[in-house]
Amino acid sequence: MEQGAAAGWWRKGPWTPQEDELLFQYISQNGEGRWSSVSKCTGLKRSGKSCRLRWVNYLRPDLKKGQLTPQEEGIIIELHALWGNKWSTIARYLPGRTDNEIKNYWRTHFKTRSPSTHLKKRKILNQQQAHRRPNNVTITEPSHSHDKEMAFSSIIDINHQSVSSSDDFVAPFEMDCYLWNLDDDHHLPNLMPHEYYHPFEGDAAVDYYVQTAEVLL
DNA sequence: AAAGAGACCAACCGCATTACA
DNA sequence: ATGTAATGCGGTTGGTCTCTT
């Protein structure tokens, strides 16, 4: 049990710059982990849980600040369609972004269904659509999420993609192509680019994403 | 200019899982 | 094998900012 938990003297609420500094220094010297000993070593009146959250969501030096890019938004939409509210899993494919940030983003942009939000959503998706290559397609229902998770894991493996670098993530279009062209053993066929089957295009794609987002809520 | 609504974000809570004695 | 502490995750809340009327 953490020292202050029983006594109930943990400080709550917004962090001060001084607290941030203490936590940052502690982790710089000792590394991440051992969160429960942070308060003992630094004098911070914060629970280990609170310290971890502050570090992960705010202080970590590799965090990306600022708005999500259209590419990142596209990835979130696609991965959420695959995995649902597995925010930490989704965050792994968005280097520098936190599960909390993605969760907040999703909640803000897709949870509410007011007309304005709907329009905004369409605008975002239309922007993403502009990056997609043309193709002749038909709409196909997505397979089971488990299958898609397996497929997506294989994608990363097949292509030896590093997801640890902030500049290196799989673009939405590429993900679609991979997902929809993998065979049962999750291997890519030997196809020319124009032969790839791409299930989503144009308004059909937008509608699919919007519907998926709404169905999942 | 003021008030209300909506968007955004930080942080907390409770539960589940993992690690360890 | 079991109990407990630590950690991780997802849901939720509340405060602040921005936009609209």
Side-chain angles (χ1 to χ4, degrees):
Chain A
M1 182 76 73
E2 286 181 74
Q3 174 186 353
W9 54 268
W10 296 128
R11 224 181 81 75
K12 291 183 182 179
W15 281 64
T16 64
Q18 291 74 24
E19 288 177 315
D20 282 345
E21 179 65 23
L22 279 172
L23 180 58
F24 192 88
Q25 279 178 5
Y26 173 83
I27 292 172
S28 299
Q29 289 164 10
N30 302 284
E32 291 185 46
R34 299 186 298 279
W35 297 110
S36 60
S37 58
V38 174
S39 64
K40 271 179 250 171
C41 299
T42 64
L44 269 174
K45 292 188 175 184
R46 295 280 184 173
S47 68
K49 218 171 178 178
S50 181
C51 292
R52 176 187 157 273
L53 205 66
R54 184 64 177 172
W55 174 256
V56 167
N57 288 336
Y58 190 82
L59 290 177
R60 254 172 51 201
D62 60 329
L63 284 181
K64 270 190 195 172
K65 306 286 182 183
Q67 276 200 318
L68 280 89
T69 65
Q71 285 78 18
E72 288 173 318
E73 289 166 350
I75 289 173
I76 291 170
I77 291 167
E78 299 211 20
L79 294 184
H80 190 275
L82 289 175
W83 298 323
N85 297 358
K86 298 287 178 190
W87 306 116
S88 61
T89 307
I90 294 171
R92 283 184 209 126
Y93 294 95
L94 292 165
R97 302 296 186 183
T98 69
D99 55 350
N100 208 32
E101 192 176 8
I102 294 167
K103 185 167 58 177
N104 281 332
Y105 170 80
W106 183 266
R107 187 178 162 78
T108 300
H109 291 80
F110 300 102
K111 187 76 178 179
T112 54
R113 303 182 195 192
S114 66
S116 62
T117 307
H118 197 73
L119 283 173
K120 189 176 177 181
K121 192 157 53 180
R122 281 192 163 268
K123 196 175 163 185
I124 290 167
L125 289 164
N126 280 328
Q127 282 173 358
Q128 290 158 14
Q129 212 47 43
H131 301 304
R132 294 167 184 273
R133 283 178 273 178
N135 209 340
N136 294 326
V137 294
T138 53
I139 296 300
T140 308
E141 285 300 313
S143 56
H144 293 104
S145 60
H146 172 71
D147 295 338
K148 291 184 131 189
E149 179 167 2
M150 295 289 291
F152 191 73
S153 301
S154 299
I155 291 162
I156 299 301
D157 190 42
I158 286 167
N159 295 284
H160 306 291
Q161 291 270 1
S162 164
V163 294
S164 59
S165 157
S166 59
D167 297 326
D168 192 14
F169 54 78
V170 182
F173 168 77
E174 290 163 335
M175 285 172 50
D176 274 355
C177 274
Y178 288 134
L179 285 172
W180 291 93
N181 288 287
L182 292 169
D183 64 19
D184 288 345
D185 294 323
H186 311 122
H187 295 116
L188 277 168
N190 192 18
L191 297 174
M192 295 298 287
H194 69 276
E195 295 176 307
Y196 276 88
Y197 170 69
H198 185 227
F200 306 124
E201 278 304 332
D203 267 0
V206 174
D207 286 340
Y208 168 72
Y209 291 132
V210 170
Q211 284 163 18
T212 302
E214 289 177 349
V215 163
L216 285 164
L217 294 173

mmCIF file of all heavy atoms in Angstrom, chain A residues 116-158:
data_model
loop_
_atom_site.group_PDB
_atom_site.id
_atom_site.type_symbol
_atom_site.label_atom_id
_atom_site.label_comp_id
_atom_site.label_asym_id
_atom_site.label_seq_id
_atom_site.Cartn_x
_atom_site.Cartn_y
_atom_site.Cartn_z
ATOM 1 N N SER A 116 -23.905 19.699 -36.771
ATOM 2 C CA SER A 116 -22.629 20.365 -37.025
ATOM 3 C C SER A 116 -21.472 19.396 -36.895
ATOM 4 O O SER A 116 -20.521 19.421 -37.657
ATOM 5 C CB SER A 116 -22.441 21.530 -36.078
ATOM 6 O OG SER A 116 -22.410 21.079 -34.747
ATOM 7 N N THR A 117 -21.565 18.532 -35.882
ATOM 8 C CA THR A 117 -20.517 17.547 -35.687
ATOM 9 C C THR A 117 -20.464 16.593 -36.868
ATOM 10 O O THR A 117 -19.403 16.210 -37.333
ATOM 11 C CB THR A 117 -20.769 16.757 -34.400
ATOM 12 O OG1 THR A 117 -20.935 17.666 -33.345
ATOM 13 C CG2 THR A 117 -19.620 15.833 -34.092
ATOM 14 N N HIS A 118 -21.652 16.235 -37.319
ATOM 15 C CA HIS A 118 -21.743 15.318 -38.436
ATOM 16 C C HIS A 118 -21.075 15.920 -39.668
ATOM 17 O O HIS A 118 -20.323 15.250 -40.380
ATOM 18 C CB HIS A 118 -23.212 15.034 -38.720
ATOM 19 C CG HIS A 118 -23.422 13.829 -39.565
ATOM 20 N ND1 HIS A 118 -23.233 12.555 -39.060
ATOM 21 C CD2 HIS A 118 -23.769 13.687 -40.861
ATOM 22 C CE1 HIS A 118 -23.494 11.674 -40.026
ATOM 23 N NE2 HIS A 118 -23.814 12.338 -41.131
ATOM 24 N N LEU A 119 -21.317 17.205 -39.867
ATOM 25 C CA LEU A 119 -20.723 17.877 -41.008
ATOM 26 C C LEU A 119 -19.210 17.940 -40.881
ATOM 27 O O LEU A 119 -18.479 17.717 -41.835
ATOM 28 C CB LEU A 119 -21.298 19.299 -41.141
ATOM 29 C CG LEU A 119 -22.700 19.383 -41.733
ATOM 30 C CD1 LEU A 119 -23.209 20.804 -41.639
ATOM 31 C CD2 LEU A 119 -22.696 18.910 -43.185
ATOM 32 N N LYS A 120 -18.775 18.242 -39.659
ATOM 33 C CA LYS A 120 -17.342 18.350 -39.405
ATOM 34 C C LYS A 120 -16.665 17.009 -39.713
ATOM 35 O O LYS A 120 -15.613 16.942 -40.330
ATOM 36 C CB LYS A 120 -17.121 18.734 -37.946
ATOM 37 C CG LYS A 120 -15.681 19.091 -37.609
ATOM 38 C CD LYS A 120 -15.588 19.545 -36.170
ATOM 39 C CE LYS A 120 -14.179 19.840 -35.761
ATOM 40 N NZ LYS A 120 -14.099 20.241 -34.371
ATOM 41 N N LYS A 121 -17.343 15.964 -39.250
ATOM 42 C CA LYS A 121 -16.832 14.615 -39.441
ATOM 43 C C LYS A 121 -16.684 14.313 -40.932
ATOM 44 O O LYS A 121 -15.695 13.786 -41.394
ATOM 45 C CB LYS A 121 -17.822 13.656 -38.784
ATOM 46 C CG LYS A 121 -17.352 12.251 -38.633
ATOM 47 C CD LYS A 121 -18.122 11.557 -37.528
ATOM 48 C CE LYS A 121 -19.605 11.626 -37.644
ATOM 49 N NZ LYS A 121 -20.318 10.952 -36.575
ATOM 50 N N ARG A 122 -17.718 14.685 -41.665
ATOM 51 C CA ARG A 122 -17.690 14.462 -43.107
ATOM 52 C C ARG A 122 -16.542 15.235 -43.747
ATOM 53 O O ARG A 122 -15.872 14.739 -44.649
ATOM 54 C CB ARG A 122 -19.004 14.887 -43.743
ATOM 55 C CG ARG A 122 -20.100 13.878 -43.559
ATOM 56 C CD ARG A 122 -21.277 14.185 -44.442
ATOM 57 N NE ARG A 122 -22.127 13.015 -44.545
ATOM 58 C CZ ARG A 122 -21.998 12.106 -45.503
ATOM 59 N NH1 ARG A 122 -21.082 12.233 -46.415
ATOM 60 N NH2 ARG A 122 -22.779 11.041 -45.536
ATOM 61 N N LYS A 123 -16.323 16.448 -43.239
ATOM 62 C CA LYS A 123 -15.262 17.289 -43.795
ATOM 63 C C LYS A 123 -13.909 16.607 -43.598
ATOM 64 O O LYS A 123 -13.100 16.507 -44.520
ATOM 65 C CB LYS A 123 -15.284 18.653 -43.085
ATOM 66 C CG LYS A 123 -14.499 19.740 -43.804
ATOM 67 C CD LYS A 123 -14.690 21.054 -43.069
ATOM 68 C CE LYS A 123 -13.647 22.072 -43.469
ATOM 69 N NZ LYS A 123 -13.751 23.290 -42.677
ATOM 70 N N ILE A 124 -13.686 16.122 -42.378
ATOM 71 C CA ILE A 124 -12.431 15.439 -42.069
ATOM 72 C C ILE A 124 -12.255 14.243 -42.997
ATOM 73 O O ILE A 124 -11.215 14.038 -43.596
ATOM 74 C CB ILE A 124 -12.414 14.971 -40.603
ATOM 75 C CG1 ILE A 124 -12.302 16.160 -39.670
ATOM 76 C CG2 ILE A 124 -11.293 14.000 -40.349
ATOM 77 C CD1 ILE A 124 -12.597 15.828 -38.218
ATOM 78 N N LEU A 125 -13.310 13.465 -43.079
ATOM 79 C CA LEU A 125 -13.217 12.248 -43.866
ATOM 80 C C LEU A 125 -13.031 12.555 -45.354
ATOM 81 O O LEU A 125 -12.341 11.840 -46.056
ATOM 82 C CB LEU A 125 -14.473 11.399 -43.637
ATOM 83 C CG LEU A 125 -14.509 10.795 -42.241
ATOM 84 C CD1 LEU A 125 -15.899 10.301 -41.903
ATOM 85 C CD2 LEU A 125 -13.499 9.673 -42.109
ATOM 86 N N ASN A 126 -13.657 13.637 -45.789
ATOM 87 C CA ASN A 126 -13.482 14.019 -47.184
ATOM 88 C C ASN A 126 -12.037 14.431 -47.458
ATOM 89 O O ASN A 126 -11.505 14.162 -48.522
ATOM 90 C CB ASN A 126 -14.435 15.157 -47.556
ATOM 91 C CG ASN A 126 -15.822 14.634 -47.835
ATOM 92 O OD1 ASN A 126 -15.984 13.518 -48.324
ATOM 93 N ND2 ASN A 126 -16.830 15.408 -47.498
ATOM 94 N N GLN A 127 -11.426 15.088 -46.456
ATOM 95 C CA GLN A 127 -10.013 15.467 -46.600
ATOM 96 C C GLN A 127 -9.167 14.228 -46.781
ATOM 97 O O GLN A 127 -8.295 14.156 -47.636
ATOM 98 C CB GLN A 127 -9.530 16.217 -45.359
ATOM 99 C CG GLN A 127 -9.971 17.658 -45.322
ATOM 100 C CD GLN A 127 -9.619 18.312 -43.994
ATOM 101 O OE1 GLN A 127 -9.080 17.666 -43.103
ATOM 102 N NE2 GLN A 127 -9.929 19.577 -43.861
ATOM 103 N N GLN A 128 -9.464 13.212 -45.936
ATOM 104 C CA GLN A 128 -8.697 11.975 -46.030
ATOM 105 C C GLN A 128 -8.931 11.317 -47.382
ATOM 106 O O GLN A 128 -8.043 10.751 -47.992
ATOM 107 C CB GLN A 128 -9.112 11.024 -44.930
ATOM 108 C CG GLN A 128 -8.654 11.496 -43.585
ATOM 109 C CD GLN A 128 -9.486 10.889 -42.504
ATOM 110 O OE1 GLN A 128 -10.223 9.936 -42.741
ATOM 111 N NE2 GLN A 128 -9.400 11.432 -41.322
ATOM 112 N N GLN A 129 -10.158 11.447 -47.835
ATOM 113 C CA GLN A 129 -10.540 10.809 -49.080
ATOM 114 C C GLN A 129 -9.696 11.338 -50.238
ATOM 115 O O GLN A 129 -9.400 10.617 -51.176
ATOM 116 C CB GLN A 129 -12.026 11.090 -49.333
ATOM 117 C CG GLN A 129 -12.729 9.989 -50.047
ATOM 118 C CD GLN A 129 -12.432 8.631 -49.465
ATOM 119 O OE1 GLN A 129 -12.408 8.456 -48.255
ATOM 120 N NE2 GLN A 129 -12.180 7.670 -50.322
ATOM 121 N N ALA A 130 -9.313 12.602 -50.120
ATOM 122 C CA ALA A 130 -8.541 13.229 -51.185
ATOM 123 C C ALA A 130 -7.191 12.555 -51.381
ATOM 124 O O ALA A 130 -6.605 12.613 -52.452
ATOM 125 C CB ALA A 130 -8.349 14.708 -50.864
ATOM 126 N N HIS A 131 -6.700 11.877 -50.305
ATOM 127 C CA HIS A 131 -5.393 11.231 -50.397
ATOM 128 C C HIS A 131 -5.486 9.826 -50.988
ATOM 129 O O HIS A 131 -4.488 9.187 -51.224
ATOM 130 C CB HIS A 131 -4.753 11.126 -49.013
ATOM 131 C CG HIS A 131 -4.577 12.458 -48.369
ATOM 132 N ND1 HIS A 131 -3.877 13.477 -48.954
ATOM 133 C CD2 HIS A 131 -5.038 12.953 -47.199
ATOM 134 C CE1 HIS A 131 -3.900 14.546 -48.161
ATOM 135 N NE2 HIS A 131 -4.602 14.247 -47.093
ATOM 136 N N ARG A 132 -6.702 9.354 -51.179
ATOM 137 C CA ARG A 132 -6.860 7.962 -51.599
ATOM 138 C C ARG A 132 -6.790 7.828 -53.114
ATOM 139 O O ARG A 132 -7.267 8.670 -53.845
ATOM 140 C CB ARG A 132 -8.188 7.411 -51.085
ATOM 141 C CG ARG A 132 -8.218 7.317 -49.592
ATOM 142 C CD ARG A 132 -9.633 7.067 -49.124
ATOM 143 N NE ARG A 132 -9.673 7.068 -47.674
ATOM 144 C CZ ARG A 132 -9.451 5.988 -46.937
ATOM 145 N NH1 ARG A 132 -9.199 4.848 -47.508
ATOM 146 N NH2 ARG A 132 -9.484 6.064 -45.636
ATOM 147 N N ARG A 133 -6.211 6.745 -53.543
ATOM 148 C CA ARG A 133 -6.138 6.525 -54.977
ATOM 149 C C ARG A 133 -7.467 6.028 -55.508
ATOM 150 O O ARG A 133 -8.204 5.357 -54.802
ATOM 151 C CB ARG A 133 -5.064 5.467 -55.272
ATOM 152 C CG ARG A 133 -3.669 5.991 -55.186
ATOM 153 C CD ARG A 133 -2.692 4.891 -55.442
ATOM 154 N NE ARG A 133 -2.370 4.168 -54.214
ATOM 155 C CZ ARG A 133 -1.561 3.132 -54.195
ATOM 156 N NH1 ARG A 133 -1.027 2.679 -55.280
ATOM 157 N NH2 ARG A 133 -1.300 2.535 -53.054
ATOM 158 N N PRO A 134 -7.797 6.334 -56.759
ATOM 159 C CA PRO A 134 -9.042 5.834 -57.330
ATOM 160 C C PRO A 134 -8.966 4.338 -57.560
ATOM 161 O O PRO A 134 -7.899 3.780 -57.757
ATOM 162 C CB PRO A 134 -9.154 6.583 -58.658
ATOM 163 C CG PRO A 134 -7.755 6.936 -59.011
ATOM 164 C CD PRO A 134 -7.045 7.152 -57.700
ATOM 165 N N ASN A 135 -10.113 3.716 -57.527
ATOM 166 C CA ASN A 135 -10.161 2.276 -57.725
ATOM 167 C C ASN A 135 -11.601 1.870 -58.017
ATOM 168 O O ASN A 135 -12.534 2.567 -57.669
ATOM 169 C CB ASN A 135 -9.666 1.583 -56.457
ATOM 170 C CG ASN A 135 -9.034 0.249 -56.767
ATOM 171 O OD1 ASN A 135 -9.270 -0.321 -57.828
ATOM 172 N ND2 ASN A 135 -8.227 -0.216 -55.854
ATOM 173 N N ASN A 136 -11.769 0.764 -58.664
ATOM 174 C CA ASN A 136 -13.115 0.231 -58.863
ATOM 175 C C ASN A 136 -13.441 -0.696 -57.708
ATOM 176 O O ASN A 136 -12.758 -1.678 -57.493
ATOM 177 C CB ASN A 136 -13.181 -0.565 -60.169
ATOM 178 C CG ASN A 136 -12.976 0.340 -61.343
ATOM 179 O OD1 ASN A 136 -13.378 1.495 -61.321
ATOM 180 N ND2 ASN A 136 -12.313 -0.157 -62.366
ATOM 181 N N VAL A 137 -14.496 -0.359 -57.009
ATOM 182 C CA VAL A 137 -14.756 -1.105 -55.796
ATOM 183 C C VAL A 137 -16.225 -1.426 -55.628
ATOM 184 O O VAL A 137 -17.092 -0.803 -56.223
ATOM 185 C CB VAL A 137 -14.330 -0.316 -54.541
ATOM 186 C CG1 VAL A 137 -12.868 -0.123 -54.491
ATOM 187 C CG2 VAL A 137 -15.069 1.005 -54.479
ATOM 188 N N THR A 138 -16.461 -2.389 -54.764
ATOM 189 C CA THR A 138 -17.810 -2.614 -54.265
ATOM 190 C C THR A 138 -17.730 -2.617 -52.763
ATOM 191 O O THR A 138 -16.676 -2.893 -52.186
ATOM 192 C CB THR A 138 -18.352 -3.975 -54.723
ATOM 193 O OG1 THR A 138 -17.385 -4.967 -54.350
ATOM 194 C CG2 THR A 138 -18.571 -3.991 -56.205
ATOM 195 N N ILE A 139 -18.825 -2.266 -52.116
ATOM 196 C CA ILE A 139 -18.834 -2.233 -50.667
ATOM 197 C C ILE A 139 -18.982 -3.641 -50.109
ATOM 198 O O ILE A 139 -19.854 -4.386 -50.514
ATOM 199 C CB ILE A 139 -19.976 -1.360 -50.147
ATOM 200 C CG1 ILE A 139 -19.744 0.069 -50.591
ATOM 201 C CG2 ILE A 139 -20.107 -1.431 -48.636
ATOM 202 C CD1 ILE A 139 -18.462 0.682 -50.102
ATOM 203 N N THR A 140 -18.114 -3.969 -49.172
ATOM 204 C CA THR A 140 -18.169 -5.268 -48.524
ATOM 205 C C THR A 140 -18.198 -5.052 -47.024
ATOM 206 O O THR A 140 -17.488 -4.194 -46.507
ATOM 207 C CB THR A 140 -16.920 -6.088 -48.870
ATOM 208 O OG1 THR A 140 -16.789 -6.100 -50.282
ATOM 209 C CG2 THR A 140 -17.042 -7.488 -48.331
ATOM 210 N N GLU A 141 -19.013 -5.807 -46.343
ATOM 211 C CA GLU A 141 -19.042 -5.697 -44.878
ATOM 212 C C GLU A 141 -17.696 -6.125 -44.323
ATOM 213 O O GLU A 141 -17.087 -7.073 -44.806
ATOM 214 C CB GLU A 141 -20.124 -6.619 -44.310
ATOM 215 C CG GLU A 141 -21.519 -6.085 -44.515
ATOM 216 C CD GLU A 141 -21.720 -4.733 -43.843
ATOM 217 O OE1 GLU A 141 -21.337 -4.585 -42.680
ATOM 218 O OE2 GLU A 141 -22.258 -3.823 -44.499
ATOM 219 N N PRO A 142 -17.211 -5.422 -43.295
ATOM 220 C CA PRO A 142 -15.957 -5.824 -42.693
ATOM 221 C C PRO A 142 -16.093 -7.177 -42.007
ATOM 222 O O PRO A 142 -17.175 -7.531 -41.543
ATOM 223 C CB PRO A 142 -15.671 -4.720 -41.672
ATOM 224 C CG PRO A 142 -16.965 -4.085 -41.422
ATOM 225 C CD PRO A 142 -17.794 -4.255 -42.662
ATOM 226 N N SER A 143 -14.975 -7.885 -41.967
ATOM 227 C CA SER A 143 -14.997 -9.183 -41.298
ATOM 228 C C SER A 143 -14.979 -8.988 -39.796
ATOM 229 O O SER A 143 -14.996 -7.875 -39.299
ATOM 230 C CB SER A 143 -13.792 -9.993 -41.727
ATOM 231 O OG SER A 143 -12.623 -9.270 -41.455
ATOM 232 N N HIS A 144 -14.941 -10.081 -39.039
ATOM 233 C CA HIS A 144 -14.930 -9.973 -37.588
ATOM 234 C C HIS A 144 -13.713 -9.212 -37.100
ATOM 235 O O HIS A 144 -12.642 -9.305 -37.685
ATOM 236 C CB HIS A 144 -14.939 -11.368 -36.975
ATOM 237 C CG HIS A 144 -16.216 -12.087 -37.239
ATOM 238 N ND1 HIS A 144 -16.304 -13.081 -38.183
ATOM 239 C CD2 HIS A 144 -17.455 -11.912 -36.730
ATOM 240 C CE1 HIS A 144 -17.555 -13.516 -38.222
ATOM 241 N NE2 HIS A 144 -18.271 -12.834 -37.347
ATOM 242 N N SER A 145 -13.914 -8.489 -36.019
ATOM 243 C CA SER A 145 -12.830 -7.632 -35.529
ATOM 244 C C SER A 145 -11.604 -8.438 -35.159
ATOM 245 O O SER A 145 -10.482 -7.997 -35.324
ATOM 246 C CB SER A 145 -13.306 -6.812 -34.344
ATOM 247 O OG SER A 145 -13.721 -7.637 -33.305
ATOM 248 N N HIS A 146 -11.820 -9.636 -34.662
ATOM 249 C CA HIS A 146 -10.670 -10.460 -34.284
ATOM 250 C C HIS A 146 -9.813 -10.749 -35.513
ATOM 251 O O HIS A 146 -8.598 -10.643 -35.490
ATOM 252 C CB HIS A 146 -11.128 -11.766 -33.650
ATOM 253 C CG HIS A 146 -9.995 -12.734 -33.410
ATOM 254 N ND1 HIS A 146 -9.053 -12.492 -32.425
ATOM 255 C CD2 HIS A 146 -9.636 -13.870 -34.044
ATOM 256 C CE1 HIS A 146 -8.178 -13.499 -32.441
ATOM 257 N NE2 HIS A 146 -8.504 -14.346 -33.424
ATOM 258 N N ASP A 147 -10.476 -11.092 -36.611
ATOM 259 C CA ASP A 147 -9.751 -11.377 -37.845
ATOM 260 C C ASP A 147 -8.949 -10.159 -38.273
ATOM 261 O O ASP A 147 -7.818 -10.265 -38.709
ATOM 262 C CB ASP A 147 -10.720 -11.754 -38.961
ATOM 263 C CG ASP A 147 -11.430 -13.049 -38.641
ATOM 264 O OD1 ASP A 147 -10.892 -13.822 -37.814
ATOM 265 O OD2 ASP A 147 -12.516 -13.285 -39.193
ATOM 266 N N LYS A 148 -9.602 -9.010 -38.134
ATOM 267 C CA LYS A 148 -8.927 -7.788 -38.574
ATOM 268 C C LYS A 148 -7.747 -7.448 -37.674
ATOM 269 O O LYS A 148 -6.735 -6.948 -38.134
ATOM 270 C CB LYS A 148 -9.919 -6.628 -38.626
ATOM 271 C CG LYS A 148 -10.926 -6.800 -39.741
ATOM 272 C CD LYS A 148 -11.800 -5.587 -39.812
ATOM 273 C CE LYS A 148 -11.899 -5.091 -41.236
ATOM 274 N NZ LYS A 148 -12.562 -3.800 -41.289
ATOM 275 N N GLU A 149 -7.907 -7.741 -36.387
ATOM 276 C CA GLU A 149 -6.783 -7.478 -35.483
ATOM 277 C C GLU A 149 -5.600 -8.337 -35.882
ATOM 278 O O GLU A 149 -4.474 -7.878 -35.956
ATOM 279 C CB GLU A 149 -7.189 -7.770 -34.044
ATOM 280 C CG GLU A 149 -6.054 -7.530 -33.070
ATOM 281 C CD GLU A 149 -6.549 -7.521 -31.634
ATOM 282 O OE1 GLU A 149 -7.747 -7.730 -31.420
ATOM 283 O OE2 GLU A 149 -5.737 -7.296 -30.755
ATOM 284 N N MET A 150 -5.875 -9.621 -36.156
ATOM 285 C CA MET A 150 -4.822 -10.520 -36.600
ATOM 286 C C MET A 150 -4.184 -9.971 -37.860
ATOM 287 O O MET A 150 -2.973 -9.926 -38.006
ATOM 288 C CB MET A 150 -5.409 -11.908 -36.910
ATOM 289 C CG MET A 150 -5.961 -12.622 -35.713
ATOM 290 S SD MET A 150 -4.655 -13.176 -34.630
ATOM 291 C CE MET A 150 -3.943 -14.450 -35.658
ATOM 292 N N ALA A 151 -5.036 -9.539 -38.763
ATOM 293 C CA ALA A 151 -4.542 -9.031 -40.030
ATOM 294 C C ALA A 151 -3.662 -7.820 -39.832
ATOM 295 O O ALA A 151 -2.588 -7.719 -40.411
ATOM 296 C CB ALA A 151 -5.709 -8.679 -40.945
ATOM 297 N N PHE A 152 -4.107 -6.910 -38.974
ATOM 298 C CA PHE A 152 -3.348 -5.684 -38.775
ATOM 299 C C PHE A 152 -2.015 -5.970 -38.110
ATOM 300 O O PHE A 152 -0.994 -5.398 -38.462
ATOM 301 C CB PHE A 152 -4.143 -4.683 -37.957
ATOM 302 C CG PHE A 152 -3.497 -3.336 -37.955
ATOM 303 C CD1 PHE A 152 -3.542 -2.556 -39.092
ATOM 304 C CD2 PHE A 152 -2.819 -2.884 -36.853
ATOM 305 C CE1 PHE A 152 -2.939 -1.320 -39.121
ATOM 306 C CE2 PHE A 152 -2.210 -1.644 -36.875
ATOM 307 C CZ PHE A 152 -2.269 -0.861 -38.011
ATOM 308 N N SER A 153 -2.007 -6.898 -37.155
ATOM 309 C CA SER A 153 -0.750 -7.283 -36.522
ATOM 310 C C SER A 153 0.208 -7.796 -37.573
ATOM 311 O O SER A 153 1.395 -7.501 -37.568
ATOM 312 C CB SER A 153 -1.002 -8.358 -35.473
ATOM 313 O OG SER A 153 -1.894 -7.895 -34.508
ATOM 314 N N SER A 154 -0.336 -8.582 -38.499
ATOM 315 C CA SER A 154 0.499 -9.152 -39.540
ATOM 316 C C SER A 154 1.039 -8.091 -40.477
ATOM 317 O O SER A 154 2.140 -8.196 -40.979
ATOM 318 C CB SER A 154 -0.298 -10.171 -40.343
ATOM 319 O OG SER A 154 -0.718 -11.205 -39.493
ATOM 320 N N ILE A 155 0.220 -7.075 -40.701
ATOM 321 C CA ILE A 155 0.665 -5.987 -41.574
ATOM 322 C C ILE A 155 1.949 -5.397 -41.035
ATOM 323 O O ILE A 155 2.930 -5.227 -41.739
ATOM 324 C CB ILE A 155 -0.381 -4.857 -41.629
ATOM 325 C CG1 ILE A 155 -1.608 -5.362 -42.364
ATOM 326 C CG2 ILE A 155 0.173 -3.627 -42.286
ATOM 327 C CD1 ILE A 155 -2.815 -4.509 -42.089
ATOM 328 N N ILE A 156 1.923 -5.075 -39.769
ATOM 329 C CA ILE A 156 3.092 -4.464 -39.159
ATOM 330 C C ILE A 156 4.274 -5.407 -39.267
ATOM 331 O O ILE A 156 5.386 -5.006 -39.591
ATOM 332 C CB ILE A 156 2.801 -4.136 -37.677
ATOM 333 C CG1 ILE A 156 1.647 -3.163 -37.580
ATOM 334 C CG2 ILE A 156 4.023 -3.578 -36.994
ATOM 335 C CD1 ILE A 156 1.858 -1.842 -38.286
ATOM 336 N N ASP A 157 4.014 -6.690 -39.045
ATOM 337 C CA ASP A 157 5.070 -7.675 -39.069
ATOM 338 C C ASP A 157 5.619 -7.848 -40.488
ATOM 339 O O ASP A 157 6.811 -7.802 -40.729
ATOM 340 C CB ASP A 157 4.521 -9.001 -38.553
ATOM 341 C CG ASP A 157 5.634 -10.002 -38.334
ATOM 342 O OD1 ASP A 157 6.670 -9.563 -37.808
ATOM 343 O OD2 ASP A 157 5.478 -11.164 -38.705
ATOM 344 N N ILE A 158 4.692 -8.019 -41.415
ATOM 345 C CA ILE A 158 5.080 -8.262 -42.803
ATOM 346 C C ILE A 158 5.993 -7.166 -43.322
ATOM 347 O O ILE A 158 6.993 -7.407 -43.979
ATOM 348 C CB ILE A 158 3.821 -8.334 -43.704
ATOM 349 C CG1 ILE A 158 3.107 -9.645 -43.470
ATOM 350 C CG2 ILE A 158 4.170 -8.173 -45.168
ATOM 351 C CD1 ILE A 158 1.722 -9.672 -44.074
#
